[in-house]
Amino acid sequence: MPAVRADKLYKIFGRRPTRAVELLADGRHRDEITSLNVTAAVIDVSFEVEPGEIFVVMGLSGSGKSTLIRMLNGLLPHTSGSVEIEGTDITKLGKSELRKLRSEKVSMVFQHFALFPHRSVLDNAAYGLEVRGVARDERDAKAREALAMVGLDGWEHKVPGQLSGGMQQRVGLARALAADTDIILMDEAFSALDPLIRRDMQTQLLELQASLGKTIIFITHDLNEAMRLGHRICVLRDGRVAQIGTAEEILNDPANDYVANFVEDVDRTRVLTASSVMEAPIPVVDPGQGPRAALRTMRDNQTPSAFVVRRDRTLVGAVNENAIGEAVRDNVKALDGLVDSLERVTPDTPVAEMFAQAAESSYPLAVVDDEERLVGVIPRGTLLAALATPNGDDNETGEEPSRGEVGESGTTDDTAGTAEQPHEDAAQSQPDPGGDAQATEGSRQ
Amino acid sequence: MSPVSYAVPVPRIPVGESFDSAINWLRINFEVVFDFIGMVIQICVDNLFSLLAETSATQFTLAAAGVVGVGLLARKRYAPTLIAVAIWAGFYVAELSAGLAASVIASLPAPLFVWAMNLFGSSYVYPPLVLALLLFAALVALSFIVTRDRGQQIIAAASAASLLAVLALHFIVGVQLSLIVGALLAVLAYFIAGWGVALFSVLGFLLIISMESWSNAMSSLALILVATLVAVAVSVPIGVLAAQSRKVSTVIKPVLDFMQTLPAFVYLLPAIAFFSIGTVPGVIATVIFSMPPGVRLTELGIRQVDKELVEAGEAFGAPDFQILRRIQIPLALATIMAGINQIIMLSLSMVVIAGMVGAGGLGNDVYTGIAQGDVPVGFEGGIAVVILAIFLDRLTGAVTRFSPAARAQRASA
Ligand SMILES: Nc1ncnc2c1ncn2[C@@H]1O[C@H](COP(=O)(O)OP(=O)(O)OP(=O)(O)O)[C@@H](O)[C@H]1O
Ligand SMILES: [Mg+2]
């Protein structure tokens, strides 16, 4: 069951919303119905957010982000469609049920913090529990815990006015965390902070999310922030959904020109990760093979080097043509001593952080997982190609959803669609490293 | 041949007459209601006046008990304090209605009270005073038993000491009440508004006493305080409603304009019609005249509270009333207090007009001055009004300091 589900959701401000919904459902743009004297803020928005996912809604000013997020907890009544929170259609709830749902299931963090200036930091953090009627001692204890989580222990008895902007927003976050709801809505929560603090807060949010597993719906107009935080991103344009997908999908496979223009300026090196630009490791040799077999493998593949990988796919290093050629001439029987070590990166490493490593070695970068198994390689050329816009060189950057957890948390159909393809490509052009090792082994005799 | 006349006949609309008949109709049909309101107001003003100008030993004792009790409540000792007060109130009501306390006291060993009675030179036991003394003693005892708070113990000890001093000074030494009450008001000013205002009050009150206007000043003060209380009790809720609903706000606005601009003298006509001559029509006219800024500033204050804060309350599931009480009102308090301050100032400016309908007090002095061309009397009354005005203004202005919002602002400044 999705944590949050919006289905054909509309919000029309103005007097005659029904007629407007009909026209908009026919596909008209919201500027075409200005004669009805209505503002269509959210038009035909559908999505599902899985438990534990960070779902980012992104769009320019006026695209309806705030309106959308306020419909998710019923702060704004919807015009048509439905919103389900953990399976309950909240558009059918009465006032008091809605209040109960808000206090127990959905909390919120605000752009301008919205801390109560007349209450201490502790009382601010404890607010959600206070509303719920939790006894003083218990709620104070929980609020302290939440404040400690965001690194504000020792500040409990200050008032918000005594804190810097970044700290105030931490209190805002602590207030949402202390309320202990599974879902947290964040409306441009970091937009009022300066860039460095903002990065800190993003990091902290990612850490908290990883440890607490909250479902977070995060609103931003900053693409880089969206790319950094979002497991999936929903791009809104004039109230409609332009695209929903992972950061890589939106970068590399924009659904339309609008999204393409939107992502043009993004710092691709920070968004793209090793896993989204890596290539299949070709060719590989087994450390048990001799130089002669290794040389043949390299010749067959017309490459100047080969990767040395054990049978369980753990990476040993790489060998190059020249050294192997000499070894063959000198009649050396084993590869020992000929293997050079490789610069290693993990699949999550952003492209921006790989340039220095790439410069250190003449070999491609090796992408290894937690157990040191080789999952891909990144030649220098690929690294540079990743910086170019996606148009035209789609094939060079093999796309694979970079974050494993996104794939698992059941994304929409289009995610699955694009995610599958590069796999198949790789499989066709080259069997997986294990099989490859078998093949080369066979050619040994 | 007379020249052709172009005068257009405009029919006369009986505006004044219809008001008059409406007033008559109301008076006849709702006489009971008006009588009741009038009686309540009269009782309040009389009691307040007697508290300020003819303070009895019982009232002094109760005032001291009030100080200690508020201290206890502020330190969250609700249960014991309220129990003590409830017991006292029970006995007090019983005494008033059946003389019960007298019989209880009579059954207690007499020496217990005799020393206290001797203090005032009275040989008999006056039950309300004994009850008040018992309440006071109980609260002081509570201060030392249930709290280990130094501040509270100091408050209790200090009020006991000052109560003894006041009783001794007045009832044994024979110092005038006016000096004692003036000094107590100055002490109050010191704690709320600081020593500057306290000094001013001492000098101002001495001036009033030397002008022999003390009793009149206290009578006016009683009238103003009752009028303010009523005006606040009516205007703040209306202001809250107007802030919540645009409809109420649009309906209320012209009514407020009407109330504020209709010459104040005109209020006196219906006020006299409903409540006849005396203090009550004075209070009513004052309430109507002074209410509008209370409504307006309350509405403004609540509307000014950051919308995102109200939304935050809603987002965490707080009911509307809780948002009002815990978020909107505390944050609007400074503005609301400014409204209350305006109410008090306008009430003071009504004092003279109230004096015209026989409300007595300083207004009477001024009115006499005007009517008889008696400049000294008129001026003295006027100056006393000014002194009261400044005293009340500084006091209400300073009360805002104690609101949580103001405290937070000071802390972050
Ligand atoms: N209460 C309202 N009444 C009428 N129109 C509204 C109301 N609230 C929002 N709108 C309109 O709805 C549209 C979407 O507004 P919304 O605040 O959701 O945008 P946003 O994406 O959050 O923008 P921003 O980034 O500036 O916060 C805007 O055109 C706005 O004018
Ligand atoms: Mg917004």
Side-chain angles (χ1 to χ4, degrees):
Chain A
M1 181 169 55
V4 180
R5 200 170 89 91
D7 188 35
K8 298 202 174 59
L9 196 57
Y10 284 81
K11 177 69 195 184
I12 316 285
F13 291 106
R15 276 172 188 266
R16 290 168 56 206
T18 6
R19 178 81 190 116
V21 169
E22 281 170 22
L23 289 174
L24 290 164
D26 274 353
R28 305 239 184 146
H29 189 268
R30 68 175 178 186
D31 293 344
E32 293 174 60
I33 57 160
T34 43
S35 58
L36 289 177
N37 235 336
V38 295
T39 311
V42 171
I43 306 164
D44 194 21
V45 170
S46 305
F47 58 79
E48 286 185 7
V49 182
E50 295 302 320
E53 184 178 3
I54 301 185
F55 186 80
V56 174
V57 179
M58 188 183 67
L60 297 177
S61 193
S63 56
K65 308 180 297 287
S66 300
T67 311
L68 174 62
I69 205 170
R70 277 164 180 70
M71 278 192 288
L72 298 184
N73 65 354
L75 279 183
L76 273 179
H78 77 312
T79 304
S80 122
S82 69
V83 177
E84 279 174 24
I85 301 286
E86 291 171 3
T88 323
D89 186 351
I90 69 160
T91 59
K92 296 197 170 59
L93 294 183
K95 253 191 137 179
S96 67
E97 288 167 305
L98 202 54
R99 272 202 292 269
K100 194 160 135 60
L101 176 115
R102 281 189 214 133
S103 85
E104 287 170 4
K105 293 201 171 144
V106 194
S107 51
M108 194 159 175
V109 182
F110 293 83
Q111 176 169 8
H112 301 291
F113 322 139
L115 299 179
F116 305 121
H118 58 300
R119 301 171 133 237
S120 68
V121 165
L122 185 69
D123 284 346
N124 264 289
Y127 184 71
L129 297 167
E130 183 186 323
V131 169
R132 218 185 289 165
V134 174
R136 172 122 225 155
D137 295 343
E138 190 186 337
R139 69 175 192 243
D140 280 1
K142 282 200 174 150
R144 272 172 211 282
E145 217 174 277
L147 285 170
M149 268 189 244
V150 298
L152 277 182
D153 16 12
W155 291 84
E156 288 91 348
H157 297 295
K158 304 277 185 201
V159 288
Q162 292 169 293
L163 272 56
S164 69
M167 292 163 97
Q168 292 194 27
Q169 193 56 301
R170 277 170 219 262
V171 179
L173 191 54
R175 179 169 65 179
L177 290 175
D180 202 21
T181 56
D182 289 336
I183 301 168
I184 300 180
L185 307 177
M186 303 180 77
D187 185 5
E188 307 221 16
F190 302 153
S191 297
L193 306 176
D194 58 48
L196 282 178
I197 311 265
R198 197 163 170 177
R199 254 195 104 70
D200 274 358
M201 292 293 287
Q202 290 166 358
T203 311
Q204 189 161 45
L205 183 69
L206 285 171
E207 286 166 9
L208 283 170
Q209 201 275 339
S211 62
L212 301 175
K214 302 274 184 199
T215 309
I216 296 175
I217 298 189
F218 192 99
I219 292 218
T220 180
H221 57 245
D222 176 355
L223 186 63
N224 283 311
E225 186 167 68
M227 297 274 169
R228 177 136 196 259
L229 293 178
H231 294 158
R232 279 187 310 143
I233 298 168
C234 164
V235 183
L236 279 189
R237 175 197 189 180
D238 294 344
R240 287 183 192 271
V241 174
Q243 185 173 8
I244 297 181
T246 63
E248 277 88 1
E249 282 162 16
I250 286 183
L251 263 189
N252 292 329
D253 192 16
N256 50 39
D257 289 348
Y258 178 79
V259 180
N261 279 334
F262 211 99
V263 299
E264 215 170 49
D265 296 331
V266 77
D267 183 355
R268 299 169 62 85
T269 62
R270 301 224 157 265
V271 176
L272 295 180
T273 54
S275 62
S276 62
V277 297
M278 69 188 181
E279 296 175 354
I282 317 167
V284 294
V285 296
D286 190 275
Q289 288 177 308
R292 207 170 286 278
L295 191 60
R296 172 135 30 98
T297 312
M298 280 187 267
R299 293 248 165 91
D300 288 349
N301 287 286
Q302 298 187 328
T303 54
S305 57
F307 303 98
V308 184
V309 174
R310 294 197 192 87
R311 280 200 161 188
D312 61 358
R313 290 214 234 163
T314 51
L315 178 65
V316 180
V319 289
N320 71 51
E321 211 173 21
N322 297 345
I324 295 292
E326 272 177 38
V328 170
R329 253 176 277 134
D330 299 348
N331 226 351
V332 177
K333 289 291 175 218
L335 279 181
D336 310 337
L338 298 172
V339 180
D340 295 323
S341 67
L342 279 180
E343 291 291 330
R344 300 171 185 216
V345 296
T346 61
D348 291 338
T349 314
V351 169
E353 288 166 29
M354 298 193 302
F355 288 105
Q357 274 178 298
E360 303 226 320
S361 140
S362 55
Y363 292 105
L365 291 173
V367 183
V368 295
D369 65 11
D370 298 343
E371 278 136 41
E372 294 293 312
R373 286 189 299 234
L374 184 65
V375 291
V377 297
I378 306 176
R380 239 179 284 176
T382 309
L383 205 52
L384 294 175
L387 299 184
T389 46
N391 309 337
D393 51 13
D394 254 343
N395 308 338
E396 268 194 65
T397 54
E399 308 110 27
E400 207 174 337
S402 70
R403 299 161 202 246
E405 65 272 27
V406 175
E408 283 153 30
S409 60
T411 46
T412 50
D413 320 8
D414 49 346
T415 319
T418 39
E420 232 53 73
Q421 263 164 347
H423 262 311
E424 279 163 19
D425 288 350
Q428 274 162 14
S429 59
Q430 189 70 35
D432 68 28
D436 193 52
Q438 299 273 345
T440 28
E441 214 170 322
S443 68
R444 190 153 55 158
Q445 330 111 4
Chain B
M1 266 194 38
S2 61
V4 184
S5 168
Y6 290 105
V8 180
V10 177
R12 164 132 176 78
I13 302 172
V15 177
E17 285 83 350
S18 47
F19 266 98
D20 187 33
S21 52
I23 288 168
N24 270 324
W25 183 83
L26 280 174
R27 197 183 56 190
I28 293 162
N29 288 286
F30 292 92
E31 202 182 351
V32 189
V33 179
F34 290 121
D35 282 355
F36 179 74
I37 296 175
M39 190 186 73
V40 171
I41 290 176
Q42 189 71 53
I43 290 176
C44 289
V45 175
D46 287 350
N47 277 320
L48 201 54
F49 175 71
S50 89
L51 176 68
L52 290 168
E54 301 154 0
T55 327
S56 68
T58 316
Q59 285 166 331
F60 276 125
T61 314
L62 285 180
V67 171
V68 180
V70 167
L72 278 171
L73 290 181
R75 286 171 179 74
K76 305 222 159 68
R77 299 291 184 280
Y78 297 119
T81 314
L82 292 181
I83 289 172
V85 172
I87 293 175
W88 168 79
F91 274 114
Y92 188 74
V93 171
E95 157 63 19
L96 281 188
S97 52
L100 183 77
S103 51
V104 172
I105 289 167
S107 70
L108 288 171
L112 213 55
F113 310 111
V114 171
W115 69 269
M117 294 307 117
N118 283 341
L119 258 180
F120 319 120
S122 61
S123 50
Y124 69 99
V125 174
Y126 179 55
L129 175 57
V130 173
L131 282 177
L133 281 170
L134 285 177
L135 173 67
F136 179 67
L139 291 178
V140 170
L142 277 179
S143 301
F144 283 90
I145 297 166
V146 296
T147 71
R148 267 187 223 95
D149 190 311
R150 267 241 158 282
Q152 175 64 20
Q153 298 182 348
I154 290 172
I155 288 177
S159 16
S162 25
L163 179 64
L164 275 182
V166 164
L167 295 181
L169 274 178
H170 179 57
F171 293 96
I172 298 171
V173 182
V175 179
Q176 305 95 302
L177 257 182
S178 53
L179 284 175
I180 291 175
V181 173
L184 287 177
L185 289 179
V187 169
L188 182 72
Y190 171 75
F191 281 112
I192 293 180
W195 64 269
V197 180
L199 184 67
F200 166 83
S201 337
V202 169
L203 297 178
F205 291 154
L206 280 177
L207 185 60
I208 293 179
I209 292 167
S210 84
M211 295 189 297
E212 292 177 355
S213 304
W214 182 256
S215 167
N216 277 340
M218 288 304 107
S219 151
S220 287
L221 187 59
L223 185 146
I224 290 164
L225 288 181
V226 171
T228 304
L229 225 66
V230 176
V232 169
V234 177
S235 63
V236 170
I238 293 180
V240 168
L241 274 183
Q244 308 283 332
S245 138
R246 196 151 279 286
K247 263 188 214 139
V248 175
S249 174
T250 39
V251 171
I252 284 288
K253 207 158 268 166
V255 177
L256 293 181
D257 292 339
F258 185 86
M259 285 162 68
Q260 236 176 347
T261 48
L262 191 72
F265 285 96
V266 183
Y267 294 136
L268 292 179
L269 294 171
I272 292 170
F274 293 137
F275 303 101
S276 83
I277 298 284
T279 317
V280 181
V283 171
I284 297 291
T286 307
V287 166
I288 296 176
F289 181 68
S290 63
M291 232 175 58
V295 178
R296 285 191 215 273
L297 284 168
T298 303
E299 178 182 351
L300 178 72
I302 290 186
R303 280 193 192 277
Q304 268 177 347
V305 172
D306 190 351
K307 260 181 62 195
E308 219 183 15
L309 293 182
V310 175
E311 204 174 40
E314 285 173 4
F316 284 90
D320 294 346
F321 183 71
Q322 209 184 73
I323 292 177
L324 182 70
R325 210 172 65 77
R326 299 205 188 147
I327 300 173
Q328 289 175 304
I329 290 191
L331 290 175
L333 201 59
T335 316
I336 296 177
M337 279 310 295
I340 294 178
N341 182 287
Q342 285 303 302
I343 290 179
I344 294 180
M345 293 296 112
L346 288 181
S347 310
L348 272 159
S349 68
M350 278 295 283
V351 159
V352 174
I353 295 172
M356 286 175 57
V357 286
L362 296 172
N364 207 25
D365 285 357
V366 177
Y367 185 57
T368 315
I370 296 170
Q372 303 177 354
D374 192 341
V375 178
V377 170
F379 257 93
E380 286 181 0
I383 288 172
V385 169
V386 172
I387 292 171
L388 275 189
I390 296 178
F391 173 74
L392 289 175
D393 177 63
R394 297 300 182 274
L395 228 56
T396 47
V399 164
T400 321
R401 281 191 313 141
F402 299 102
S403 79
R407 240 180 263 165
Q409 205 163 31
R410 265 204 309 285
S412 51

